[in-house]
Amino acid sequence: MIACSCDRRRFCQALLPLGVTACLGLRVRGLLAETVQEGTQEAPEHKFDQPMPRPLTYRERFELAYASHFIPFLNILEEQIGREDVIESLKQLALQEAEEYARYVVREMGNDISVFKRLYHPSVPQANSIMTIEVTEDSESAYGIKISECLWAEVFQAAGAADLGYYAVCYGDVPFAGFVNPDIDLELSRTIMEGNSCCNLRYYYKS
């Protein structure tokens, strides 16, 4: 009923961030933070804070968050307000998250090319658990990677929602590089989410 009584775009923008914040929390930053904290927390005092008997795999976590909740939510939202407004809101949310994460990265890691090497490298267990990464270029002025497997793409494609997955997951990558450092750009020539065999990313200084 709300969708019929208010502006469609405002309705989408109001609901979408509230509905998907928990899902998008599984992005790289959340996974990194979670892994660092494992094994360092004191025993919880309340039963609700006890660890589950069996930890979820990365695939199970993604399927729970995206296939079971996020994607069905987007499908319902699309019926209510239309695909264009859903995509526009995903783009706005991706930009918001990219800027927020960039502030965190700059504060914790700095703002040069090495940041992306530390985030997206085959030797980083957290990144390697959800993507298969190959370094294609590594210099002081540029860093390139090829991603041949991506858990996000796998889950969204299996649900028939890869086009929405692109805006939810991939769209913010290019502006993220600029938010980290305005002098750094990202050449994102293709993605698995769009149906290609791999993702090609090249971070480089503009001049």
Side-chain angles (χ1 to χ4, degrees):
M1 297 297 292
I2 296 177
C4 298
S5 61
C6 70
D7 176 76
R8 289 159 60 106
R9 184 176 301 275
R10 284 167 41 192
F11 172 69
C12 183
Q13 293 171 353
L15 284 188
L16 191 53
L18 295 175
V20 305
T21 297
C23 300
L24 295 184
L26 287 176
R27 297 291 293 273
V28 172
R29 182 178 63 170
L31 290 169
L32 288 171
E34 179 181 280
T35 304
V36 170
Q37 293 173 1
E38 287 179 357
T40 62
Q41 296 179 343
E42 297 181 358
E45 297 181 357
H46 196 281
K47 62 181 181 180
F48 292 166
D49 300 312
Q50 294 288 338
M52 298 176 64
R54 183 182 70 83
L56 298 175
T57 66
Y58 285 101
R59 187 187 303 277
E60 289 172 333
R61 293 184 186 192
F62 274 56
E63 289 177 345
L64 177 63
Y66 294 99
S68 299
H69 293 84
F70 182 41
I71 295 172
F73 171 77
L74 292 181
N75 292 335
I76 293 173
L77 201 58
E78 181 182 351
E79 293 178 2
Q80 295 290 323
I81 66 173
R83 194 172 194 79
E84 290 185 4
D85 280 353
V86 171
I87 289 175
E88 181 62 28
S89 288
L90 284 174
K91 291 165 66 175
Q92 292 187 27
L93 182 59
L95 290 174
Q96 177 181 321
E97 284 213 326
E99 185 172 13
E100 178 185 345
Y101 183 32
R103 287 197 296 266
Y104 167 82
V105 166
V106 170
R107 184 174 67 249
E108 298 295 326
M109 302 182 185
N111 69 340
D112 57 21
I113 286 287
S114 68
V115 165
F116 305 101
K117 301 178 185 181
R118 295 171 63 185
L119 288 174
Y120 312 119
H121 192 276
S123 64
V124 179
Q126 297 81 11
N128 194 51
S129 295
I130 54 179
M131 297 177 286
T132 299
I133 304 172
E134 174 188 346
V135 177
T136 57
E137 183 177 359
D138 189 352
S139 68
E140 293 184 358
S141 59
Y143 179 64
I145 59 173
K146 172 184 175 181
I147 300 174
S148 57
E149 293 181 300
C150 172
L151 189 50
W152 281 296
E154 180 179 318
V155 171
F156 275 92
Q157 287 174 345
D163 53 342
L164 296 178
Y166 174 83
Y167 293 104
V169 179
C170 312
Y171 180 80
D173 288 346
V174 172
F176 169 65
F179 287 139
V180 170
N181 186 332
D183 293 328
I184 295 177
D185 202 353
L186 167 62
E187 179 183 341
L188 181 60
S189 58
R190 56 181 178 170
T191 67
I192 299 174
M193 195 75 80
E194 295 172 293
N196 296 295
S197 60
C198 64
C199 304
N200 286 334
L201 300 87
R202 182 177 184 267
Y203 298 91
Y204 64 96
Y205 286 107
K206 297 178 182 179
S207 57

